[in-house]
Amino acid sequence: MNKLLRTFKRCAAAGAVILAAISLQPLSSAQAAPQPVVGGTRAAQGEFPWMVRLSMGCGGALYTQQIVLTAAHCVSGSGNNTSITATAGVVDLQSASAIKVKSTKVLQAPGYNGKGKDWALIKLARPINLPTLPIATTTAYNSGTFTVAGWGAAREGGSQQRYLLKAQVPFVSDASCQQSYGNDLVPGEEICAGYAQGGVDTCQGDSGGPMFRKDNAGAWIQVGIVSWGEGCARPGYPGVYTEVSTFAAAIKSAAATL
């Protein structure tokens, strides 16, 4: 199987979204066949109030009430951009109470070239009066069990989910992750999470969404941004996330310019 087909950024075409947990048969010479969704459950309304759905088929989180933190590969560059619609405030994308706000500007991570540095900021036309998700500024929380959430595909190549789903994934060390991905992984800029046996993972359409956990005070803190993986939820291939703490200072500086 061609590596380009197996390893992909976890974005989706416009109109497609994420899930947070799918199970696949082991790899073979042909594309692995998808199995029923496992491991994900519906998030409750208001459980993750800073979650954002972006119209290009990605996720994100409210960094401030007017700036969304997402993945660099979800956007096409930096500058004025009024083409993106952010949907927030609901777990049901079809809810009449959904808050929808257009973008005004995009800032893609400086130096992004498709490997590492997978973060971007989207400025909205107006603030959204919802809680924001603080980002980790040190590696102190780069361990343990993380939560992921999104509206993306329930299988590789699948269509969007209407309701926000959530799942938990355990930390995977750089050394272990490199056994799966070799030099494709950028240690120090990326963090991995998932089960050795597979079955729970982010997938296409989850790109840009947050990976988060509780801090020492019991509050949610973002430690990762959904970036890429080999297939979805495949045994031996954890999800790869942008390591937020590495870029915390750069993100703060960039946000101040928007």
Side-chain angles (χ1 to χ4, degrees):
M1 185 191 221
N2 187 291
K3 183 172 179 57
L4 183 61
L5 296 178
R6 292 186 286 128
T7 304
F8 55 84
K9 298 291 186 180
R10 295 190 163 180
C11 57
V17 204
I18 140 185
L19 183 180
I22 73 172
S23 177
L24 295 176
Q25 294 175 348
L27 288 174
S28 67
S29 59
Q31 183 170 352
Q35 295 294 296
V37 172
V38 296
T41 57
R42 281 193 192 179
Q45 178 61 36
E47 187 174 4
F48 310 124
W50 21 258
M51 286 294 302
V52 174
R53 178 65 189 165
L54 299 170
S55 57
M56 82 288 277
C58 281
L62 290 175
Y63 176 73
T64 72
Q65 291 189 328
Q66 200 169 354
I67 296 176
V68 177
L69 176 61
T70 187
H73 75 266
C74 288
V75 300
S76 57
S78 299
N80 294 333
N81 186 322
T82 59
S83 68
I84 302 167
T85 299
T87 300
V90 293
V91 294
D92 178 1
L93 292 177
Q94 297 181 22
S95 171
S97 60
I99 301 168
K100 295 180 181 289
V101 183
K102 286 283 191 180
S103 61
T104 60
K105 294 181 181 179
V106 171
L107 194 155
Q108 190 179 57
Y112 174 72
N113 63 2
K115 186 173 182 178
K117 299 179 177 63
D118 196 8
W119 64 268
L121 299 174
I122 298 173
K123 186 175 184 180
L124 305 177
R126 62 177 175 84
I128 295 176
N129 188 23
L130 289 170
T132 58
L133 179 60
I135 66 172
T137 58
T138 74
T139 59
Y141 299 110
N142 288 2
S143 62
T145 299
F146 308 114
T147 298
V148 289
W151 292 269
R155 59 180 177 83
E156 290 182 37
S159 59
Q160 74 172 26
Q161 301 294 301
R162 173 177 174 176
Y163 297 97
L164 180 67
L165 299 182
K166 64 178 180 177
Q168 291 188 322
V169 286
F171 169 75
V172 174
S173 70
D174 286 347
S176 178
C177 201
Q178 281 186 298
Q179 291 180 2
S180 299
Y181 293 117
N183 291 333
D184 289 336
L185 186 73
V186 185
E189 293 190 8
E190 296 175 326
I191 180 173
C192 301
Y195 294 93
Q197 70 271 26
V200 180
D201 195 9
T202 48
C203 196
Q204 69 256 37
D206 281 334
S207 281
M211 180 173 74
F212 47 98
R213 54 159 288 176
K214 294 289 183 70
D215 66 13
N216 291 335
W220 290 116
I221 189 167
Q222 182 172 355
V223 297
I225 300 170
V226 180
S227 184
W228 62 280
E230 185 142 348
C232 301
R234 294 180 177 181
Y237 290 103
V240 183
Y241 302 79
T242 303
E243 189 173 285
V244 169
S245 60
T246 299
F247 302 103
I251 290 169
K252 181 178 180 179
S253 296
T257 71
L258 291 176

